[in-house]
Structures are given as C-alpha cells and as structure tokens.
C-alpha cells in the first residue's frame, strides 16, 4: 500500500516523493541552524511573550490579594481555574496519543506530526499544571498535597481525587517529557554535527548525550522508545479519567455520573487533535513544510476528530437521558437548567460548536480544504472550552438547596490569567520551533528508506 | 571534524546523571533537619529576659513549688506568670537592694508590669490547656524539662506537632501518679508501664488526636 | 481605590495610641490628656474621615495584606515558619477573682426605647467579649436579640467619639465642666428659664429622678423626651380609656387564641423576647396537639410575627382600624351600627376569628401594634375586657416608664420654644434628633437658634455637628445605670469595663448640671436604690448586682376598666373616610439592623440578612407584588417617593404577602455622619417623615426613575422547587399521621447503604435538633454566632458576590400564592454529617470526622481548594476569599473571643457546634472525673434563641433533651435522600389552622414517598 503513496502526485502521500535523505535533513535542520529567523517569528513570539507577562501580573496580584479577585463565590467554588485546567489537560492528550498509541499501531502517518504534537502536549500540561496550584486559597502551601514525612505527622488524604490528580498529572508530565526527549536525541545529534557555531555545538552536544548513531545506539534507542510508548499508552487514558474523578467522586448533580471517564477521555483526544490541527496548518504554510505534513495527515486527523466528536456527542445525550431516567428531581432540574437556565446560551453554543458544526467533516471536500479544517479546529477548541464551563458552573450554581443558588461571572483577572496561560503556551511553542527540529528528521528518513525499499 | 567535548565528559556526564539522585536525597534531608532544628523550633535557645531569673536557684536551691508562682496551672489553660507582687513577697526583705532586681522594684514602685519573653510558645492556632494535662498526670518535666536545673530558662523540646502527637497517641510512657506531677526528679518505676497501652483507664487516643482537641 | 487614605489613618491611630500610652501607660483613658500635641491633632482629623468605609470596599484593603501574603509565601516555600518572640505581661498587683484563661460573667442590662433587658456578659481578663441573656431576668429568660448580641461591637467601635469637642476643636471635660458651671449660674438666676434637656425615652429610675431634681431645683427648666419609636400612642389611648397612663403587657403562654392587630409581638418591641418564648412554647413540636395555640395576624407589612401566623390577613394600614371596629362590633363591644362594612373576603375571615375568640374566652389575647391609632388601642382594651382576658393574658399596671408621654409632642413643644427664642441652653442626651426628627419639624434649623447647645452621644453624629459642645457618652457596658423591663421589673446595669474613650454617662452629666460633677454613676445608682429600698441591707445590693434583677419591683396588676364614655367616644368618631382606590400608604418602621440609626455603624447588624427580605447593607421601600405591577416597578428599581410634598429616592423591593397599597420604609439609613460603615448606605426615610404622631400616612406617590440600584440580598431564590426541605402539616394531618414528615421526602437509600464502615461513638455523640415550629427567623442566632466565633464582616460588594461569612443562616421560603404566601424559616448551621461529603474530598485532611461525630474544620491545615464547599449539599461552608478579618484595628482585637482562631485569607471555615465550649466543658468534666451533663454545653445560637428552637446535646445520653426530640415522629433530616445522615436534624412544623377559615397553602407535595 506504500507504493501508490510514493507515486501519487504530491499531497496524498505521507511525504513528497521528491525528498531523499539529504534533502530531508537539510530542509528540517535548516530552520534551526542556517535560516535567518523570520520577522513573523519575532512578531508572534513578541505577542505571546506579552501575554505571558500578563500572566505574571495576574499571578502576582493573586498572591497579594487572594482568590477573591476571581469570580468564584458561594456556591460556585470552582471557576476559570478548574475549567482551564481541564481544558489544557485535554489538549495535552493528542501528543502522547499520536506518538505512543499510533506508534504501537504502526501508523506511519504520525511521523511528521508527532514531534510538535508531543511538544504541544508538554506545553499544554505545563499550563494545566499551573492552575491547580493557583486556584488554592494559599498557593504557597501546595506542597502539602505531596506525601512527604513532615513535622506535623500528617499525610495527604488519599481518598481525595485531587491527590490522585497530583500523581496522574505529574506522572503524565514526566513520561511525556522523557518520551519527547528520547525521540529528540538522534536529531539533536544531527544538529550538533551540522551546526557551525561553537555554542550551538556544545548546547546540542550536551543534550544529545554523546549520540553517535552506532548500531548499538540505534538498537537501544528503538527499545527504549518502544518501552516508553508502552508506558505512555495507559497514561493517555488514565490522566483524563482521573481528572474526571474530580467531578464524578462528588455528589453534585451533573457531576456525580459514571459516564464521565470515557467521555472526558474522548473529549480530550477531540480537543487535542483540534489543537494539533490548529497549530499544524499555520506552521505548515508558514514554514512551507507541506511536503512533510501532507493533506493525508490532515485528512486522518480530521477523521479522528469526527470519531471522537461523535463519542462526545453521545456522552451529552447519555447525560440528559440518565438525568431523566434516574427520576432524581435534582438531576432532572440540573439537565433542564442547563438547557433553559441562565447559562443556556453557553450550553447551546457548546452543542453547536462541538456536535453540529463538526459534522461537516463527513464531507471529503471539507476535509481536503485546509482553510475549512483550520476554522473547524478552532471552533472545536472553543466548543471543548465551553463544555468544561458548562460542566463546572451549571452544576454548582444551582444544586440542592434553592436558598443558596447563585451565579458565577468571571472577572477581568480570570480572563487575564487565561490569556496569560495561552501566552505561556505559545511562547514555549515559538521557542521550540526556533531551536529544535519541528519534525523528526530521523523518522522521516526512515520513512523514505522504507518507501524506497518498496520501490526497488 | 574536531571533537566538541573532551573525553573526560563521558565520566562527567555519567556522574552527574547518577549524582542527581543523591543530590535530591541530600536536599530532602537538609529540609527535614532544618524544620526540626533550633533555628526553627527555638528549642534550647535561652531567651533574653528583663531579669535574669534562675529557676535552678528558686526551685532546686530554695525548693519553691511550681504552683507558688504558676498559680492557675491546675485550674486554667494558662499556667500563670507571677505578678510582681509575688516576687516582692520575698524580695522586699531579701536582696531588697540588689541592682539585678531593680526592674522588679521599679515595676512595683511605678505600677508598670514586667514584660517577660515567652519561652514555651505554641502557635496561636494551637490551644494548649495546662489543667487537663496536670490532672491527667503529665509532669511539668515531661514538657518543660528539668527546669530546676536551668539557670536561665529555655525551651526543652521542639514543641512540634509530631512531638505532641507522640504522647497523645500513647501517653503510657509519660504519665505519672497525680502526686508526682510537680516532682522534678521523679523516675518511672523499674518495671516499665505496659507499652502501647495507656495506664489512663479512659484515655481515648482517637479523642486525644482529634484535630479540634487542639485546633479550633 | 480608597485604600490609600485609610491606610494612613490606621497608622496614625496606632501612633496616637502609642503617644497616649507613653503618657499614662493606658491607651484607653484620657484622650484629652494629650490634646493639643501635634500628632494628636493630626490623629483626630484623620480619626473622623467621612465617607471612608471600613469594610465596604474589599479592594481598599491594607498594604499590610500584601506584605503578609508575601511573607507567608516565603515562609511557606521555606517550609519553616519561625515564630516571632511574644511577651507575657503579668499583673503587678493581681486583681481578685480573675484567673488568667478563665472568663467571668457579670449581670447587666441593655435599654432600648426605654425598656431594659437583662444580660449576662462574658469577660476575658476584663474585656467584655460576648453578650448572653440573663436567665433570671423576666424580659430575657436567658435569650437575647441581635441588638444585644451586636452591642459589644458598638462598644469597641473605633469610630465612636473619643474626645470632648467645642465647636469642632479639641477640648477637655474640665473645660466643659467649667463652661457648664458658668452657664448654670445664669440659669439659676432665672430659675432655670431657658434651660432645656432633651433625652431619649428614659427608662432608668435613677436618671429620671436626677432629671426631676433639675426641674424641681429650676422650675422654669424643662425636660423633653423624643424617641422615634416611642409608645406615646399606647399611653394616649390608656389615658383616654382608663383616665391614667396605665401600662399593658401580655402573657401569651396563657393564650390559646392570639390576634395581633399590626403588633409584631415576637419581632420587636418591649417584651418581644419573652413573648417569643411564650408563644413558641405552645406551638413547638412538644406542644403539637390539643394544647396548641392559634395565631391570627392582621398587618400591612410582612412582620416576623405574621410570618409564623396560622392565619394572616394583609390589610392596608387604614383598613386595619376598620377591621378592628368590625371585630369589636362582632364581639358586641360597640354597636353594630358603629362598625363599617368590610369587603366580603375580610368578612369571611372575621366571622370564624370572632367565634374562635369567643370560644377561648379568658384564654385569648388581642394585641394592637404601636403604629395603630389610639382608637384601635382603646377598642383592643375593651375587647380584651369583653373576652375576660384582663388579668389572665392581659396585665394592666401603673406606668413602668418614669414619664411615658415621651415622644413627638414633647419634641414639638421644644422646637416651638427654640423658634420662639425661649431656649438658651439645650442639653441633648443620647438619641440623634437631628437625624431622626421628622423633616417637617425643622429641628435642625431651630437648634441653630440655641446659644449654648451641649450634646452627649456615643458618636460624633448629625446632632453633634449642630451642637456647640460634643461630649463622648459612655457605652452601657462602660457605665452604671438601671432600668425597668416590659413588666416593670427593675434591674441594675453594671459596667464591664472602664470607659474606653473617656466617655461619661447621662446621669453623671445631669449630676454635673446639678452642680455635683464629681459624683460617679455607681454612687448615683446606689443612692437611688438606697432611697427606694431604705430597709434593705448592703447584702441585697450585692445580690441585685449578681442577679441583675431587683426582686419585688414588678408593679402589681391594676384592675382598671375602660370607661364607657371613652368607648362611646371612639365608637362615635368612626373609622374616618376610606382611602381612595389605589392610594399608597407609607408605614415607617425601625430597621431590623440599624434600628433608628443607633446601630448604623455596626457591621454585624448591617450585614445581617433581614428576616423576610434577606437584604443587607441597605434599606428599601417594600411594596406588594400587586402594587409593583400597578406601578410598573421591579425590585432594585430606583423610585422617587413623594409624601406631603417631600420626596426621596429609594430602591424598591417586592415582598410577597404585603398588603397592596402599603409601602414600608425603615429608618436608620442614609446617615450623613455615622462613621466609616454607617455613613452612606441606604436612603434617609426621615426626609419624608411628616411631623405627626401617626406612623402610617396615606397619599404617597411612588414613581419609577429609569435608574436601578443594586441591593445585596443573600437569598435570591424563594421557592423550595418541590423538594421537601421544610416539611410541615396542619394539626389535623399530624393527628392522623404523626410521622408525616417521612412521607414528604424523595425515596433514598437506607442508612445502611454506605461504602465506608460506620463510625463508632463510645464517648459523646453531639447532635442538634431544630424545631421549625418554634423558629420565627429573628436572626438572634446569626449574630450570636458571629460574636462567639469571630466571624468577619465582608461588606456589600462581597455579599453581592455571595461571599457572606455567616456560619449559621436562616433560609426563608415562600409557599403558595405570591399575594398571600406561607412563610417558612429554616436555620442552617453545619449539619455535621455522618457521611460528610466534604471529608472525603479534602486533599490535605483539613476537614475530618471526630470521634464525637463532629465534622472538624482545621483552618491552619486548609490550603483552600474549596472542594469541600462544592461538595457540601447544604452549602454551609464559608471561604475567606480575601482577608476579611480585621487584623489591625486595635480596639477590635479586644473584641475577639480568645478561644477561637481568627481566620486569615484563603482558608475554609464553618459552624463548629461551638467546639470551644464543648472542649471547655470536657476539660472541666475530666478534671472532676465525671461526664458532661445535659445542658452543660450550649452553642451560641441555641443560647441566644428566644424561642428555644435550637436544642443541642449528647445523643449517647438517653436522658438528654436532644435525644428525646430526635425520637419524636416529627424529626427528619434535610436531604436525607442523599444519605449524608446529618447530625443536625429538624422537627417538622405543625400549624394550627381554623377549620372554617379560608384554607392556607397546602404543603408542597414534595416527593414520591407520598402515600
């Protein structure tokens, strides 16, 4: 099945047939080593960096004044912090999924997107990781959530899902980092060897950890990479399952539901792929790497989005059905309140953006239009954010006792913090594009060798 | 192409990679020790006082009972710091012109209280009650150490939560007959009190370790 | 925002205090001793900053906060918080009685509108920290109202006036006394001509006798009284009816049928605490059955009493008199010809009522409210006679107040004299007439005509601003005094602490007027009672002080009859013309929080949700839904209210169940000079208060402006949504199905269903039962809790965000039609669940389960994830979103309960069942080798509750009262369908409707358990 790819006119295949080993290496390493940094990069990085500074300001004021600067209140104790935490974690799913699971499934099309997908994962997890700490009333005591022998003879409370979060997220972050780094080693070596400047040589050299590309190196590398993939795979499922426990373990109507784990994971992959697409398409055109990230890639990702999107939609339906079927008045009220209550516009917005519009992906014409895919992926990102807002807020703002019902409105500090983490995410991404190979050189070459092997 | 790194870097990198583990361990140890050190707990630190009052002299030397000065120790949460009047009971006669005691006389003369520095100081969110400990047979020495041998008073124990809990969980090794509470030199009987079980018939370790027993 | 200036102010206060301390070692005495020093001048100018708001503006917090946060952060990261060195300051000469760490209790009394209530005040090392009721006092029986509870905050209020001022400049007491002596010589020359003394309604025998000495010594001098909510109408009615100003009080306990004609018996007024206890005693769960009393209320607003009535009829103020006349006729008190016709609906309401009253002859009670005209009071007296209630449920005695005529007429004569230039010296004692006097009277203008005006007051307020001299008054917890309860029983008011701000009491000032400036309040009171009870030995004086009550001082009942001619006169006078259709009648009331402005600067009361509206920090014009529809107004609309040609802009608030056509305004807001908290909020109702003795005025107009005015309401949703939250049934259903409460719930899991193993309780098992039949939502519990547990005030903005900190709240639900709803009150402290949802979700184990069943919240362990609060189905947890507790104001530090941690920001807190009291009792018990006795531990809320609706105790003790209550069939747990198994449970409410009455709302058919 590979040969038609090879012969097919550019776009349908996984890589432009014109490429050979040298050209691949030249092209990808050139972005990092020889090309002048484009003005666009500076502009983009500048904007992201400003947002990042906004985050610093918001956090500084938060520590000085207290959680009260946000919109959270009684009864809505969790607001933007948790919404954004879940959103970022969700986004952070695509990378590892692409790298690990698709690797194990021998899906070659992962090759040219996995590198920055993994990077994106790391950066998203970094953003996500900030929120649980910031949303504490006393952030400087976050380390009390870690089990360590202390002078109080106290341990964390292991029945609390928040503790599970600590482990799930930190493990996920660690493994993703290792996975990404190990994958980078051969390319780092390539950069080390090709760079002319001493500083770059030393820098990449240290990171390359003395990679010489000997057979034994490759052998060990392959094994390690495979093992890590095996390790990472269950994590992809576990992380968002555990995150969903934050809600399911509670007794709040709309949270207390067994559907959450699967439909959170599906949602996570959904949003993850949407984000990969959102990033892939501009990078592709900006750096002109359409010959590596081909239409075939975009098409596959679109299909994955369609599938996971449908799972998510099914989740919404189940929620409503169970609310009705349970015959529990508070549950029923919750469902009705979502659709008819003060936050109804957000709910219907979520249905529109997450369920209805993505159905366009059924059409091949949409899937083959880069612009359409880009817009769609953005819409899905918004939709998944709305989903988290609806889940967190609408359940809390009207629970058991009508006497203590209330409303939640985010303040400007909520928004600034959110924008700030986006800034953090993009800043890291720009640095990555500038200083590391955005596409795996070694694996792409492997792809070529494979293809050629089939031709001869 | 010239080598970027000297060959010694191989060793260096290996060492640094494995060394990291030990470095982290060391760091953890430092913190653990620091938290329990006098720098944090103020244990064994002699506090500056307006008058260099010697418990050794008054307790061991003159044999004055704790309760002569700390009057409310059996009835109240607060043991009580003697009013200037109590000092003057004796010092209007003896050492009545010693310069060391001038602050006491001044205080008495000008009706201005003496400002002592707290030696055993618990955090404000911890509510300690002397009376219950005294009636349950916890000796002064148990927490305050051999005050009768302190020329200048200092805090004997770290007063950390782990230290309190150690006894609240199993007071067995610390309780003594009610009569011996104020005895500075009481030694537990040869055969140790049965380990693990409190000699207090109604000591409820769960109650004694409930958060609200000390924090509210 | 306005943080800057306030920061500077605070620093200066500290510096000035330091300066003072430097002078005489006690910051709390003798401000004037350092008057004149530059730092003091500066301090003083900053001390009274107007429109600065202490708690109002969260963003205006102190820089101190930022520093602390930063240092905390460092400490946290360093993982080693080092304690700063503390000093211990023992006494020089130990005072008697005081054992450090043990509180003392002293009996005293608080006087409002002339009538006093006995109190027991807790004192820590000489600092009064908590007010409780005096069980031995007839007006208290151990209970308190929210005003008494909040009075300690007023005592320590940093905004209280602290220094003598003359024309705004600092002066001294000696300076004043000199000026006074000089002036008094002139007055003496003219036999007191030109001397006027204006007081509030005086209840104190000592003060009254001193004032009488003044008028005896200087016959031309006059003593006036003005009390915005005095009882002059009752007095006038009594004069008409009996020819003497007799005093009337009630014994509701003996009444099987009670009718209130616009009388808020339980809500406010003298004896309300006692009445609440007695009425509840025949309506609570234990009383449900044959002996249960029936409560009818006819009123225009929605009062606390009306909210718990079995039958409530909402009538416009003017219609209430017509109703009273019709009732009188129906009972044969006046001729049928003299009675006006009633609307058929009201007629249908009156018939069964009249029959019911007839049936309960001798054990019924009809009470008329202070806002009703004299005629209604006369008729009521006659009706009670006709029903044979006098002597049984209605007691008539000689006047309890020294001079019961105090009120508007007295003030009017004073104003006339001032305008006529007859007044040279005016001494204004207490009150705040410049604010509370009706706008029509022009008191302020006339006051400026007075040559020498002297004001003794707690605050440097509107009146002080107009007076030449301002003298700081001593708070009642700082001064000696005495007073009489609603039934005439006299009690001594003894001070708990020396005056913080060099204040002096009214009697000390009058003594100075009499030329005896040096005499202490103690001497005066002692002298008064030595004269009153010459034969008593010194020992009984000590006993009076200890008990707070002077035995044998209750005046004996008088069997006076309503004079026939009086009745005939009233009958002949007729009700007056019925108001035109769609007329608006304005009713003026004291505010539930600010009263007449006396408590405007009290944060606890400002933030106290009003019983029916649940509004805080503001007053609003309350109107009926029908009225709102007619005028096209909605809640929070800013409207312009016009009355007698005067106008004021007021926010509107719609109250279900109010009488169409009635508008309720409360005083105490729109203050111009009240302090950092009281200045500003709300609107000034006095601006439209006409100068007449009536309290209800027809012919008002309410016109909506386009603007809106946001109000801080703590409960925005009023329906139970068909969830069996408050469960109730009429007596008839209770009779056939005593456990009806259990059939009004949604089927849930049985208690045995749990994944965790059951807790075992070998020692105590604390629990609470709340009787919904007894609770009437008076809020005493809320303020008591706030005082006991150092609960901060958060300010209007934060309340609007839903961040109020009250540990116990009283939920109020409406049921039935919006025009005639049924009202339910449901106090909600922490439920202390057996399966507490909060416990399992806290990541750091900051909230855990004690072995006595308490759900413990440990502030110092809390990191503030707020997960527990999310997961609490009762939403009783409160989070310190910002630094709400005041950590800097020195005087407020003295207010704190030393047994309870003052919480910082970022930590969760909630009801603890007053664990500090439990621990104290446990330690005492262990020290005495015994168990805690039933009733030995009482949480603040239960202790304050006038109706004893809250009962607390040990569930493991078979003899305990709470155990007995929980075994009643009426007992049910809130939301028990989710199997949290709360320790706090409720006793369903049983109402006692008259079968022939138009039926009230039926219980919401909450749930599927319904048979």
């Amino acid at each position: 099945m590979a040969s038609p790819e090879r012969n097919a006119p550019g776009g349908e295949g996984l890589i432009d047939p014109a490429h050979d080993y040298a050209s691949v290496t030249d092209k990808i390493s050139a972005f990092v080593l020889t090309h002048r940094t484009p003005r666009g990069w500076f502009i983009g990085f500048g904007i992201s960096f400003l947002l990042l500074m906004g985050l610093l300001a918001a956090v500084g004021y938060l520590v000085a004044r207290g959680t009260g600067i946000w919109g959270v209140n009684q009864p809505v104790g969790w607001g933007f912090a948790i919404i954004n935490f879940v959103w970022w974690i969700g986004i952070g799913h695509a990378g590892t999924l692409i790298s690990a699971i698709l690797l194990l499934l021998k899906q070659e099309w992962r090759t040219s997107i996995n590198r920055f997908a993994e990077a994106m994962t790391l950066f998203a997890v970094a953003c996500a990781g900030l929120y649980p700490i910031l949303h504490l009333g006393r952030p400087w005591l976050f380390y009390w959530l870690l089990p360590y022998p202390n002078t109080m003879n106290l341990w964390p409370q292991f029945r609390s899902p928040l503790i599970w979060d600590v482990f799930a997220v930190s493990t996920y972050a660690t493994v993703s980092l290792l996975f990404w780094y190990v994958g980078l080693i051969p390319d780092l070596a390539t950069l080390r060897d090709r760079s002319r400047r001493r500083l770059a040589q030393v820098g990449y050299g240290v990171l390359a950890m003395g990679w010489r590309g000997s057979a034994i190196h490759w052998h060990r590398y392959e094994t390690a990479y495979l093992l890590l993939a095996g390790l990472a795979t269950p994590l992809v499922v576990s992380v968002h399952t555990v995150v969903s426990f934050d809600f399911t373990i509670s007794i709040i109507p709309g949270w207390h539901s067994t559907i959450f784990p699967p439909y959170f994971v599906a949602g996570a992959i959904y949003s993850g792929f949407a984000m990969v697409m959102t990033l892939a398409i501009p990078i592709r055109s900006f750096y002109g790497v359409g010959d590596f990230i081909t239409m075939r890639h975009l098409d596959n990702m679109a299909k994955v989005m369609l599938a996971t999107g449908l799972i998510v939609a099914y989740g919404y339906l189940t929620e409503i059905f169970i609310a009705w079927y349970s015959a529990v008045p508070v549950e029923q009220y919750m469902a009705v309140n979502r659709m008819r209550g003060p936050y109804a516009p957000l709910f219907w917005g979520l249905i529109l953006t997450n369920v209805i519009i993505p159905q366009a992906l059924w059409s091949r014409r949409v899937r083959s239009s880069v612009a359409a895919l880009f817009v769609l992926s953005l819409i899905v990102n918004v939709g998944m954010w709305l989903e988290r807002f609806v889940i967190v807020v609408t359940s809390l703002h009207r629970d058991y006792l009508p006497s203590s019902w209330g409303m939640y409105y985010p303040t400007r500090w909520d928004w600034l913090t959110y924008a700030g983490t986006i800034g953090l995410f993009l800043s890291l991404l720009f640095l990555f594009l500038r200083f590391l190979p955005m596409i795996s050189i070694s694996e792409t070459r492997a792809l070529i060798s494979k293809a050629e092997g089939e031709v001869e | 192409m010239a080598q970027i790194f000297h060959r010694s870097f191989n060793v260096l990198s290996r060492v640094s990679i494995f060394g990291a583990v030990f470095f982290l361990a060391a760091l953890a140890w430092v913190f653990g020790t620091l938290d329990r050190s006098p720098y944090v707990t103020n244990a064994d630190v002699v506090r500056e006082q307006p008058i260099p009052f010697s418990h050794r002299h008054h307790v061991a030397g003159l044999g004055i009972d704790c309760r002569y000065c700390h009057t409310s120790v059996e009835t109240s949460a607060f043991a009580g710091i003697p009013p200037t009047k109590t000092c003057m009971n004796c010092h209007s006669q003896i050492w009545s012109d010693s310069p060391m005691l001038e602050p006491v006389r001044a205080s008495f003369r000008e009706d201005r209280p003496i400002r002592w520095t707290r030696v055993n100081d618990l955090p404000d969110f911890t509510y300690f009650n002397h009376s219950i400990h005294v009636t349950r047979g916890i000796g002064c020495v148990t927490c305050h150490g051999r005050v009768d041998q302190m020329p200048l008073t200092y805090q004997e124990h770290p007063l950390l939560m782990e230290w309190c809990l150690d006894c609240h969980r199993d007071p067995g090794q610390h309780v003594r007959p009610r009569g011996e509470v104020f005895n500075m030199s009481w030694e537990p009987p040869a055969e140790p009190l049965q380990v693990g079980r409190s000699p207090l018939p109604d000591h409820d370790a769960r109650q004694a370790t409930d958060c609200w027993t000390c924090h509210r | 925002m306005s943080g800057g200036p306030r920061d500077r102010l605070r620093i200066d206060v500290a510096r000035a205090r330091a300066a003072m301390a430097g002078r005489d070692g006690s910051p709390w005495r003798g401000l004037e001793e350092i008057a004149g020093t530059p730092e003091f001048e500066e301090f003083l100018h900053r001390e009274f900053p107007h429109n600065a708001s202490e708690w109002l503006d969260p963003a205006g917090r102190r820089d101190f906060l930022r520093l602390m946060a930063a240092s905390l952060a460092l400490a946290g990261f360093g993982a080693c918080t080092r304690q700063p060195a503390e000093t211990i300051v023992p006494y020089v000469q130990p005072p008697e009685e005081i054992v450090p760490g043990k509180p003392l209790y002293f009996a005293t009394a608080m006087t409002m509108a002339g009538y006093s209530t006995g109190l027991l005040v807790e004192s820590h090392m000489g600092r009064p920290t908590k007010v409780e009721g005096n069980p031995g006092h007839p007006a208290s029986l151990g209970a308190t109202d929210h005003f008494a509870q909040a009075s300690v905050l007023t005592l320590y209020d940093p905004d209280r006036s602290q220094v003598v001022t003359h024309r705004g400049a600092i002066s001294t007491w000696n300076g004043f006394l000199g000026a006074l002596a000089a002036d008094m010589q002139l007055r003496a020359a003219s036999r007191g001509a030109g001397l006027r003394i204006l007081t509030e309604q005086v209840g104190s025998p000592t003060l009254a006798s001193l004032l009488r000495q003044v008028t005896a010594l200087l016959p031309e001098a006059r003593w006036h009284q003005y009390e915005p909510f005095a009882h002059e109408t009752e007095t006038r009615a009594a004069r008409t009816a009996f020819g003497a100003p007799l005093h009337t009080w009630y014994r509701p306990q003996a009444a099987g049928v009670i009718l209130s004609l616009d009388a808020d018996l339980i809500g406010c007024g003298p004896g309300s605490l006692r009445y609440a206890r007695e009425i509840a005693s025949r309506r609570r769960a234990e009383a449900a059955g044959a002996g249960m009393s029936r409560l009818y209320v006819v009123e225009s607003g929605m009062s606390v009493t009306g909210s718990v009535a079995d039958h409530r009829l909402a009538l416009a103020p003017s219609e209430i008199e017509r109703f009273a006349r019709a009732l009188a006729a129906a009972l044969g008190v006046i001729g049928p010809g003299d009675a006006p016709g009633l609307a058929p609906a009201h007629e249908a309401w009156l018939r069964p009522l009249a029959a019911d009253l007839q049936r309960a002859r001798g054990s019924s009670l009809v009470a008329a409210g202070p806002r009703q005209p004299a005629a209604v009071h006369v008729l009521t007296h006659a009706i009670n006679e006709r029903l044979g209630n006098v002597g049984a449920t209605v007691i008539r005695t000689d006047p309890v107040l020294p001079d019961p005529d105090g009120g508007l007429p007295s003030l009017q004569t004073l104003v006339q004299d001032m305008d006529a230039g007859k007044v040279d010296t005016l001494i204004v004692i207490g009150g705040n007439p410049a604010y509370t006097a009706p706008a029509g009277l022009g008191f302020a203008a006339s006051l400026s005509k007075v040559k020498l005006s002297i004001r003794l007051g707690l605050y440097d307020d509107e009146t002080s601003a107009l007076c030449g001299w301002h003298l700081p008054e001593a708070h009642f917890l700082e001064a000696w005094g005495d007073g009489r309860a609603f039934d005439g029983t006299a009690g001594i008011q003894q001070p708990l602490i020396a005056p913080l701000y060099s204040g002096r009491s009214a009697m000390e000032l009058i003594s100075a007027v009499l030329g005896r400036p040096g005499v202490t309040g103690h001497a005066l009171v002692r002298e008064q009672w030595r004269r009153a009870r010459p034969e008593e030995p010194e020992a009984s004086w000590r006993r009076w002080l200890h008990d707070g009550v002077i035995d044998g001082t209750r005046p004996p009942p008088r069997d006076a009859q309503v004079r026939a001619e009086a009745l005939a006169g009233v009958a002949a006078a007729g009700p007056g013309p019925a108001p035109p259709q769609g007329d608006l009648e304005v009713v003026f009331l004291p505010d539930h929080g600010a009263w007449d402005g006396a408590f405007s600067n009290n944060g606890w009361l400002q933030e106290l949700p009003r019983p029916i509206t649940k509004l805080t920090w503001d007053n609003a014009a309350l109107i009926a839904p029908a009225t709102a529809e007619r005028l096209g107004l909605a809640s929070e609309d800013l409207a312009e209210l016009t009355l007698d040609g005067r106008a004021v802009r007021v926010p509107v608030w719609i109250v279900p169940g109010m009488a169409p056509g009635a508008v309720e305004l409360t005083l105490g807001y729109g203050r111009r000079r009240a302090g950092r908290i009281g200045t500003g909020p709300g609107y000034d109702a006095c601006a439209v208060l006409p100068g007449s003795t009536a309290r209800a005025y027809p012919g008002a107009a309410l016109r909506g402006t386009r603007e809106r005015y946001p109000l801080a309401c703590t409960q925005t949703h009023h329906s139970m949504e068909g969830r069996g939250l408050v469960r109730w049934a009429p007596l008839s259903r209770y009779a056939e199905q005593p456990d009806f409460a259990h059939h009004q719930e949604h089927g849930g899991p049985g208690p045995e269903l749990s994944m965790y193993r059951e807790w075992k309780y070998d020692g105590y098992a604390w629990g609470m039962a709340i009787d919904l039949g007894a609770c009437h939502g008076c809020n005493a519990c809320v303020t008591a809790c706030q005082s006991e547990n150092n609960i901060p005030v958060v300010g209007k903005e934060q309340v609007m965000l839903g961040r109020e900190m009250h540990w116990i709240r009283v939920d109020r639900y409406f049921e039935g039609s919006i025009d005639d709803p049924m009202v339910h009150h449901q106090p909600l402290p922490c439920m202390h669940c057996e399966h507490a949802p909060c416990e399992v979700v806290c990541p750091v184990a900051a909230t855990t389960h004690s072995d006595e069943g308490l759900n413990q919240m440990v502030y110092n362990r809390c990191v503030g994830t707020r997960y527990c609060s999310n997961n609490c189905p009762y939403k009783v947890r409160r989070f310190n979103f910002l630094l709400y507790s005041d950590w800097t104001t020195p005087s407020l530090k003295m207010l704190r309960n030393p047994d309870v941690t003052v919480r910082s920001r970022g930590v969760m807190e909630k009801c603890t069942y007053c664990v500090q009291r439990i621990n104290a009792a446990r330690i005492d018990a262990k020290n005495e080798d015994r168990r805690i006795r039933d009733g030995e531990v009482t949480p603040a809320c239960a202790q304050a509750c006038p109706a004893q609706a809250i009962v607390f105790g040990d569930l493991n003790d078979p003899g305990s009262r709470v155990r007995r209550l929980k075994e009643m069939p009426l007992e049910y747990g809130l939301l028990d369908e989710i199997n949290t198994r709360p320790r706090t449970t409720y006793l369903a409410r049983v109402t006692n409707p008259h079968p022939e009455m138009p039926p009230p709302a039926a219980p919401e058919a909450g749930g599927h358990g319904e048979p």
Side-chain angles (χ1 to χ4, degrees), chain C residues 363-382:
Chain C
S363 70
S364 59
L365 166 59
V366 182
R371 290 183 294 281
Q372 287 307 308
V376 174
H377 287 277
V378 175
L379 289 170
T380 315
H381 286 305

Side-chain angles (χ1 to χ4, degrees), chain A residues 299 302 306 358-369 373:
Chain A
D299 187 67
L306 187 56
Q359 299 314 313
L361 289 172
W362 286 105
S363 122
R364 175 176 288 281
R365 278 189 46 256
V366 173
R367 290 207 306 276
S368 57
S369 148
L373 286 175

Side-chain angles (χ1 to χ4, degrees), chain C residues 5 9 197 266 360 453 524 552 589 599 614 662 700 765 826 867 926:
Chain C
L9 161 76
I197 300 176
I266 337 184
S453 51
L524 295 167
L589 309 102
F599 297 97
K614 296 294 166 191
Q826 184 170 43
Y867 200 171
K926 274 188 171 179

Side-chain angles (χ1 to χ4, degrees), chain B residues 6-158:
Chain B
H6 187 267
R7 54 200 344 281
S8 63
F9 270 64
N10 295 329
V11 189
L12 208 62
S13 53
R14 287 202 186 81
V15 170
S16 57
I17 291 167
F18 294 111
V21 182
F22 298 98
F23 176 74
L24 291 176
L27 204 64
W29 178 83
V30 166
F31 267 97
T33 337
L34 189 63
D35 276 355
R36 294 167 175 82
S37 70
Y39 169 78
V40 173
T41 64
N42 282 321
D44 309 332
V45 178
V46 169
R47 299 303 189 89
E48 189 65 30
Q49 300 289 6
I51 299 134
F53 177 84
S54 162
H55 274 94
R56 182 169 67 185
H57 171 66
H58 289 82
V59 180
L62 307 174
I64 300 176
D65 185 279
C66 310
R67 288 159 291 184
Y68 180 76
C69 298
H70 306 290
T71 47
S72 56
V73 70
E74 289 170 300
T75 55
S76 164
F78 184 54
I81 293 295
T84 315
K85 178 80 177 56
T86 313
C87 312
M88 293 304 283
N89 288 347
C90 303
H91 288 295
S92 50
Q93 273 74 24
I94 50 177
W95 300 107
S96 53
D97 49 8
S98 122
M100 198 169 72
L101 295 178
E102 175 50 24
V104 182
R105 293 191 295 271
S107 148
F108 201 62
R109 227 175 17 248
E110 299 155 20
D111 188 28
R112 171 169 296 145
I114 305 171
R115 308 181 71 87
W116 300 95
T117 307
R118 227 180 213 290
V119 173
N120 294 277
D121 187 8
L122 291 174
D124 293 355
F125 49 74
T126 308
Y127 290 84
F128 178 84
N129 185 303
H130 274 95
S131 69
I132 187 66
H133 287 84
V134 168
T135 40
R136 308 303 274 175
I138 301 296
C140 308
V141 180
T142 311
C143 302
H144 295 291
R146 289 301 296 270
V147 176
D148 61 331
Q149 292 170 7
M150 298 183 187
L152 291 174
T153 319
Y154 56 87
Q155 168 188 325
E156 172 84 6
H157 294 289

Side-chain angles (χ1 to χ4, degrees), chain A residues 24 46 60 84 99 156 212-213 290 293 296 300 308 344 377 412 415 437:
Chain A
V24 167
N84 297 337
S99 330
R212 289 192 312 280
I293 307 174
R296 169 79 185 287
N300 286 357
T308 47
S377 64
R412 57 176 185 279
W415 286 110

